[in-house]
Amino acid sequence: MTEDLQKRIQAALANPQNMGEMAGADSIGTVGNADCGEMLRLWVKFKEQNGKRVIDRATFQSFGCETAIAVASLATELIRGKTAEEALALKTEELAGELGPLPPMKIHCAQLVEGALRSALEPVAAETKKEISPATNPNAPTLLDSFSKPKESVKLTFLDE
Ligand code: FES
């Protein structure tokens, strides 16, 4: 690792953002790396903004790896205000943000953060897609269907006097 990168990691670690568990999170993602034994958990809370469900806040817990902590700190700031889909579209190097390019042996640390994000956000993105899909789902009933469907016949039963 270059001295420059080490400095940037130390700077991010000096004031890590969004560390710790979040009570009442809407989604939680956990990933582990069997090779280095690192584990990372991410909590995400959403809010409604301009008719969209966007990330209000994200927090994380990580054990030991400084690079993963630094990336998670930057990434949890970066995804604020984004929809689950927008956050999922971010590339590993974008999540590492101002840390700059990571050396090959540290790329998996950023990928751990990306994995936790995927684990937390993919179910939310799938849910959102389902909610939106009636307009694009070819099998979904359309407004026209509701008018053209034959009405159920009404059976009248007359009571004897
Ligand atoms: Fe494995 Fe950083 S050394 S996540």
Side-chain angles (χ1 to χ4, degrees), residues 42 47 51 57 72-74 85 89 113 122 132 142 153-154 160:
L42 203 87
K47 67 176 178 185
R57 233 180 119 209
S73 170
L74 295 167
E85 294 80 4
V113 177
E122 276 174 352
I132 298 169
T142 63
S153 59
V154 180
D160 292 333

Side-chain angles (χ1 to χ4, degrees), residues 71 75 78 86-97 110-111 114 117-118:
V71 174
L78 186 70
E86 288 165 348
L88 284 168
L90 292 168
K91 294 185 176 69
T92 315
E93 48 294 357
E94 290 174 297
L95 293 174
Q111 284 169 339
E114 189 184 1
L117 263 178
R118 295 206 170 286

Side-chain angles (χ1 to χ4, degrees), residues 60-96:
F60 72 96
Q61 238 179 16
S62 174
F63 306 97
C65 171
E66 293 186 340
T67 309
I69 293 172
V71 174
S73 170
L74 295 167
T76 48
E77 281 296 299
L78 186 70
I79 62 173
R80 268 182 200 240
K82 294 192 185 321
T83 63
E85 294 80 4
E86 288 165 348
L88 284 168
L90 292 168
K91 294 185 176 69
T92 315
E93 48 294 357
E94 290 174 297
L95 293 174

Side-chain angles (χ1 to χ4, degrees), residues 155-161:
K155 225 181 193 179
L156 291 177
T157 309
F158 295 98
L159 299 172
D160 292 333
E161 284 185 27

